[in-house]
């Protein structure tokens, strides 16, 4: 094992065999932090490719060289390529005299409805007027749940009870919001498994029929390897099942339950890596104020610790 | 169910190993590495996987194996029994008896599926001739009582809860007392979601348990959970007497390895799995047939009940 820490100062170029043990240790560390196996593997491969054949500068250990390369890779992946400024975009929509529409999507029980309420509260703090649309017309208690949040936050809610077509409810809600001059409509949807074709088709209808400004994927920080499958299938199904020529995909991620995972922060990395979408909000508790921005530096530091 | 995929990979790894003529250290290591990878991709907790690897190596100990022994068979058996050991804590869970009041309390992380599963559990027993009842001791989550009420109404199961009372202990006690008087033999108490990082939530759970004295505490866990599973499950076990586990959302794509970790952490058996959002999407769970199926059956059946 000591070879991992051995200094190989003076040795010419780094070879695969030199890197192997350090990379294996690093992959294991990432997996204990709840990074999906597939993602940890891919990351290590790319770090290996970037280092192979390079000269090791004097007095550095292989392990720290590998760690530094991984740190660079992680920062690069987690730093959003496209930045979305919701408040700016809300204003732009307002100038066009239409509401800015956000749809919350994700698998069952991850925190869509609760975090929709937190986003509503955050918008209120920025003097933005909000309306909620109760488009989970399936799960028992879903409408009352959203109604409770709307009442507590004193926000209008558009609801049509259960067993209604959610795409139609969303359409009506957006129309009402346009008429009454609301700045933002937050659309709650039912949780669904990414493999459930009929439910994914219904979601695709809701999204393509209403062309929201932002499709927010809600994923919980607790999720393990399934994170990869959830994100890739939501995107894939939204694309495959769409009847429009230019299907809408996931725009951003809302990562929830960040307060329940201690240092096992890997789901954030798995989700961003596989989707290429930025984490726009982090849910870290069950009250309205528990919504934060992702701290990339802190995540990278925790992953490598 | 995607757990079968895991079984397939393990079976393939063993087959590959037996294709080589001499099973030496290298062949065994390759096989174990492949199995390790399959388990990690299924979210089994990292320390558990390492432990299992060490245990199998210990059991198999190639050098000690006298020539002539069927090495492949010994390795297979070691893997089978390690997986069973992980899923089977060796003691059965409490089973409610008809006409004698039993109290069952559901606990777990936020959004795991407790409320949905409470109704499934009640409905399952109702069909078997029990007289179940549901108590909503979740006074925290918005819409919690409506959710339980709508589910219970649909299943025609009596329920108790309140829109105004904020003390879960008080509601739990009132509900349990009422249904005892009404001669219900299976009184199910649903509680709020909680997590170990918030001590006050765990204290509340402890108080509900102390006040209602449940015969069984069921820990509900989402099949998609990753490496946080073990620590959370263990913390629940340390606060209340968890006696059984139910794994939900097995209709999804997740391989459910976090579940194995939860069993290891709570030392309690999995009794049911949830396979959908509807009331009847609920299956009894049995370890040995499950592991046999996991590993592709056939050969494995010979190990069952040893
Ligand atoms: N600890 C913690 N709990 C959260 C967080 N966000 C949501 N929750 C809890 O997670 C549970 C499920 O939240 P919901 O908002 O109902 O989830 P959902 O995705 O809308 O669920 P479905 O609509 O049934 O699919 C609730 O108990 C929430 O209070 C968070 O950031 N931290
Ligand atoms: N697909 C699927 N969904 C499930 C299953 N079990 C529960 N759900 C869904 O998961 C979500 C959360 O379920 P709940 O029963 O509200 O979870 P909970 O643990 O009571 O949540 P809290 O009370 O907020 O902690 C809901 O959308 C349920 O319909 C299952 O076996 N399969
Ligand atoms: Mg919801
Ligand atoms: Mg509940």
């Amino acid at each position: 094992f000591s070879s991992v820490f051995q200094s190989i100062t003076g040795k010419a170029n780094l070879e695969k065999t030199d890197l192997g043990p350090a990379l294996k240790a690093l992959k294991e560390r990432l997996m204990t932090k709840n990074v999906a196996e597939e993602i940890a593997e891919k990351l290590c491969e790319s770090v290996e490719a970037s280092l192979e054949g390079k000269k090791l500068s004097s007095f550095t250990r292989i392990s720290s060289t590998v760690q530094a390369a991984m740190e660079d890779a992680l920062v690069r992946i987690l730093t959003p390529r496209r930045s979305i400024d919701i408040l700016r975009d809300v204003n732009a929509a307002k100038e066009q005299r239409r509401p800015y529409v956000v749809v919350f999507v994700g698998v069952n029980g991850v925190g869509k409805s609760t975090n929709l309420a937190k986003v509503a509260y955050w918008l209120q703090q920025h003097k933005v007027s909000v309306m909620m649309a109760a488009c989970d017309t399936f799960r028992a208690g879903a409408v009352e749940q959203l109604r409770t949040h709307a009442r507590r936050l004193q926000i209008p809610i558009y609801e049509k009870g259960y067993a209604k077509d959610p795409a139609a409810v969303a359409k009506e809600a957006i129309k009402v919001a346009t008429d009454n001059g609301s700045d933002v409509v937050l659309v709650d949807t039912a949780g669904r498994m990414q493999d459930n074709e009929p439910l994914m088709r219904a979601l695709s209808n809701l999204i393509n029929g209403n062309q929201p400004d932002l499709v927010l994927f809600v994923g919980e920080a607790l999720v393990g390897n399934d994170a990869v499958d959830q994100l890739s299938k939501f995107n894939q199904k939204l694309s495959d099942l769409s009847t429009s020529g230019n299907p809408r995909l996931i725009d951003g991620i809302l990562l929830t339950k960040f307060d329940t995972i201690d240092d096992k922060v890997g789901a954030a990395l798995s989700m961003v890596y596989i989707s290429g979408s930025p984490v726009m909000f982090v849910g870290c508790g069950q009250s309205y104020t528990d919504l934060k921005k992702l701290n990339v530096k802190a995540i990278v530091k925790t992953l490598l610790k | 169910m995607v757990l079968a995929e895991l079984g397939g990979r393990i079976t393939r790894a063993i087959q590959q190993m037996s294709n080589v003529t001499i099973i030496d250290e290298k062949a065994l290591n390759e096989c174990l590495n492949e199995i390790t990878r399959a388990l990690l991709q299924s979210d089994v907790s990292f320390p558990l996987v390492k432990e299992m690897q060490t245990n199998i190596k210990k059991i198999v100990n190639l050098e000690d194996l006298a020539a002539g022994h069927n090495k492949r068979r010994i390795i297979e058996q070691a893997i089978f029994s390690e997986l069973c050991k992980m899923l089977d804590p060796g003691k059965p869970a409490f089973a409610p008896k008809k006409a004698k009041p039993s109290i069952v309390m559901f606990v777990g992380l936020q959004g795991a599926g407790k409320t949905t599963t409470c109704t499934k559990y009640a409905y399952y027993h109702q069909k078997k001739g029990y007289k179940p009842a549901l108590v909503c001791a979740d006074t925290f989550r918005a819409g919690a009582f409506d959710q339980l009420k709508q589910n219970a109404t649909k299943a025609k199961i009596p329920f108790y809860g309140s829109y105004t009372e904020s003390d879960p202990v008080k509601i739990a006690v009132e509900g349990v007392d009422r249904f005892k008087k009404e001669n219900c033999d299976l009184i199910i108490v649903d509680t709020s979601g909680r997590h170990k990082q918030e001590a006050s939530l765990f204290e509340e759970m402890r108080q509900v348990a102390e006040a209602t004295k449940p015969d069984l505490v069921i820990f509900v866990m989402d099949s998609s959970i990753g490496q946080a599973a073990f620590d959370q499950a263990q913390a629940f076990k340390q606060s209340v007497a968890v006696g059984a586990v139910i794994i939900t959302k097995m209709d999804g794509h997740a391989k459910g390895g976090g579940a194995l970790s939860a069993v290891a952490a709570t030392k309690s058996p999995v009794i049911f799995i949830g396979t959908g959002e509807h009331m009847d999407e609920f299956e009894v769970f049995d370890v040995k047939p499950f592991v046999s199926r996991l590993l592709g059956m056939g050969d494995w059946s010979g190990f069952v009940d040893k």
Side-chain angles (χ1 to χ4, degrees):
Chain A
F1 197 70
S2 67
S3 69
V4 178
F5 302 107
Q6 232 168 51
S7 159
I8 57 153
T9 319
K11 193 166 176 178
N13 294 322
L14 283 169
E15 285 166 28
K16 262 201 169 120
T17 43
D18 303 324
L19 297 167
L23 280 170
K24 181 163 183 271
L26 196 53
K27 182 184 169 191
E28 293 191 347
R29 197 180 316 159
L30 291 175
M31 284 190 303
T32 55
K33 298 283 164 58
N34 199 35
V35 175
E37 197 272 348
E38 182 189 336
I39 307 294
E41 174 74 23
K42 281 191 187 141
L43 271 167
C44 287
E45 279 166 12
S46 73
V47 165
E48 184 179 61
S50 75
L51 289 178
E52 211 181 327
K54 289 260 164 67
K55 255 203 161 62
L56 194 65
S57 44
S58 29
F59 305 114
T60 41
R61 293 181 311 194
I62 292 188
S63 60
S64 34
T65 305
V66 167
Q67 171 127 350
M70 181 62 84
E71 190 173 330
D72 287 347
L74 293 177
V75 171
R76 209 167 48 240
I77 291 163
L78 287 167
T79 308
R81 272 156 285 168
R82 327 171 245 126
S83 71
I84 304 174
D85 183 340
I86 295 186
L87 294 172
R88 187 196 57 204
D89 294 351
V90 166
N91 273 324
K94 198 169 176 172
E95 273 160 26
Q96 300 167 19
R97 299 186 174 282
R98 63 173 188 86
Y100 180 88
V101 179
V102 188
V103 177
F104 291 73
V105 305
V107 302
N108 303 88
V110 290
K112 293 174 292 301
S113 312
T114 308
N115 287 279
L116 180 152
K118 293 185 206 169
V119 170
Y121 176 80
W122 175 78
L123 288 167
Q124 279 184 319
Q125 300 305 301
H126 288 87
K127 309 270 176 288
V128 173
S129 70
V130 186
M131 203 177 102
M132 294 183 182
C135 298
D136 179 351
T137 59
F138 172 74
R139 205 210 70 220
V143 174
E144 289 82 359
Q145 179 182 15
L146 209 64
R147 199 189 286 154
T148 305
H149 287 305
R151 194 189 60 234
R152 286 185 195 153
L153 294 169
Q154 299 192 307
I155 286 175
I157 177 171
Y158 186 84
E159 49 152 302
K160 277 282 164 241
Y162 293 93
K164 296 287 180 329
D165 170 20
V169 179
K171 178 146 270 157
E172 291 158 25
I174 296 168
K175 178 157 190 319
V176 171
T178 311
D179 292 347
N180 72 16
S182 298
D183 299 336
V184 173
V185 181
L186 301 178
V187 180
D188 189 26
T189 66
R192 68 202 73 218
M193 291 294 162
Q194 66 269 28
D195 282 320
N196 189 322
E197 190 112 350
L199 294 183
M200 290 306 292
R201 191 181 301 277
L203 186 65
S204 163
N205 285 343
L206 187 152
I207 289 174
N208 287 302
N210 288 293
Q211 289 298 321
D213 296 271
L214 188 69
V215 177
L216 256 192
F217 178 87
V218 183
E220 55 175 29
L222 285 164
V223 67
N225 284 268
D226 200 40
V228 175
D229 198 68
Q230 286 181 13
L231 262 307
S232 50
K233 291 248 181 72
F234 262 79
N235 266 331
Q236 189 197 324
K237 294 271 157 75
L238 284 180
S239 154
D240 292 355
L241 300 174
S242 154
T243 46
S244 101
N246 197 6
R248 289 292 307 277
L249 304 180
I250 291 166
D251 298 306
I253 297 168
L254 195 160
L255 184 68
T256 65
K257 308 187 192 176
F258 202 73
D259 51 325
T260 69
I261 49 153
D262 295 332
D263 64 346
K264 299 187 170 55
V265 299
L269 180 67
S270 305
M271 288 185 196
V272 172
Y273 185 106
I274 202 69
S275 68
S277 300
V279 173
M280 303 189 53
F281 297 100
V282 179
C284 49
Q286 303 190 84
S287 44
Y288 296 126
T289 50
D290 292 326
L291 196 65
K292 293 197 177 131
K293 296 277 167 191
L294 187 75
N295 182 340
V296 173
K297 267 202 195 123
I299 298 267
V300 172
K301 201 170 151 215
T302 311
L303 284 171
L304 293 174
K305 201 169 58 199
Chain B
M1 192 183 311
V2 192
L3 261 168
E5 233 172 65
L6 169 64
R9 284 193 54 185
I10 295 178
T11 316
R12 264 196 308 285
I14 294 169
Q15 255 155 20
Q16 253 160 28
M17 179 189 62
S18 49
N19 285 344
V20 301
T21 25
I22 308 159
I23 300 177
D24 54 7
E25 185 86 27
K26 184 166 162 277
L28 176 65
N29 277 340
E30 267 168 23
C31 173
L32 286 180
N33 280 340
E34 184 55 26
I35 292 173
T36 301
R37 198 157 171 224
L39 289 171
L40 284 170
Q41 285 182 344
S42 309
D43 299 308
V44 181
S45 105
F46 195 84
L48 274 184
V49 174
K50 286 278 141 180
E51 190 187 311
M52 177 168 170
Q53 206 175 8
T54 318
N55 286 351
I56 292 175
K57 272 196 157 161
K58 228 183 273 163
I59 300 171
V60 172
N61 197 348
L62 287 171
E63 278 147 45
D64 286 357
L65 284 186
H69 273 212
N70 188 342
K71 287 179 192 167
R72 179 178 159 230
R73 189 85 182 153
I74 290 167
I75 295 167
E76 281 176 350
Q77 175 138 29
I79 293 166
F80 180 83
S81 64
E82 281 300 309
L83 277 174
C84 282
K85 211 167 81 186
M86 230 188 239
L87 270 165
D88 185 0
K91 55 168 199 293
F94 168 87
K97 294 199 180 49
K98 278 177 210 161
K100 181 183 173 294
S102 298
I103 295 156
V104 178
M105 175 176 165
F106 278 65
V107 301
L109 289 164
Q110 290 92 349
K114 295 173 293 299
T115 307
T116 310
T117 308
C118 276
T119 318
K120 289 180 176 182
Y121 183 82
Y123 180 69
Y124 172 91
H125 284 93
Q126 190 183 44
K127 280 194 304 186
K128 297 231 170 260
Y130 289 82
K131 266 188 75 184
L134 288 159
V135 179
C136 175
D138 179 357
T139 54
F140 177 79
R141 172 168 159 182
F145 183 39
D146 286 297
Q147 184 184 9
L148 182 132
K149 192 172 166 179
Q150 287 167 21
N151 281 337
T153 307
K154 203 166 159 195
K156 301 195 173 62
I157 291 165
F159 59 90
Y160 184 83
S162 161
Y163 285 113
T164 48
E165 176 56 57
S166 63
D167 180 4
V169 179
K170 188 156 178 273
I171 295 192
V173 171
E174 284 170 7
V176 167
D177 286 348
R178 141 112 60 118
F179 291 127
K180 268 186 183 161
K181 278 192 201 104
E182 292 180 8
N183 291 322
C184 292
D185 51 14
L186 184 57
I187 305 170
I188 298 160
V189 181
D190 184 22
T191 64
S192 307
R194 61 196 84 236
H195 56 292
K196 72 179 175 77
Q197 287 82 358
E198 221 170 307
S200 60
L201 296 181
F202 266 49
E203 174 56 24
E204 176 195 285
M205 169 173 71
R206 228 185 38 70
Q207 286 176 12
V208 174
E210 201 172 270
T212 53
K213 307 218 169 3
D215 298 282
L216 176 64
V217 177
I218 299 181
F219 179 65
V220 178
M221 181 163 257
D222 184 324
S223 65
S224 75
I225 192 169
Q227 295 292 325
F230 189 92
D231 291 351
Q232 289 288 356
Q234 191 173 47
F236 274 87
K237 174 78 175 185
Q238 281 161 1
S239 276
V240 286
V242 171
V245 177
I246 294 180
I247 311 295
T248 62
K249 311 183 197 176
M250 289 295 278
D251 50 319
H253 179 270
K255 300 191 179 69
L260 304 197
S261 316
V263 175
T266 58
K267 308 214 168 21
S268 309
V270 179
I271 51 174
F272 291 97
I273 58 172
T275 56
E277 295 192 72
H278 296 280
M279 206 152 34
D280 55 352
E281 290 173 319
F282 198 51
E283 291 171 21
V284 174
F285 182 88
D286 239 341
V287 178
K288 279 180 178 155
F290 176 81
V291 176
S292 305
R293 196 169 62 197
L294 191 71
L295 297 171
M297 203 66 189
D299 273 3
W300 304 94
S301 50
F303 301 139
V304 174
D305 291 321
K306 266 190 188 162

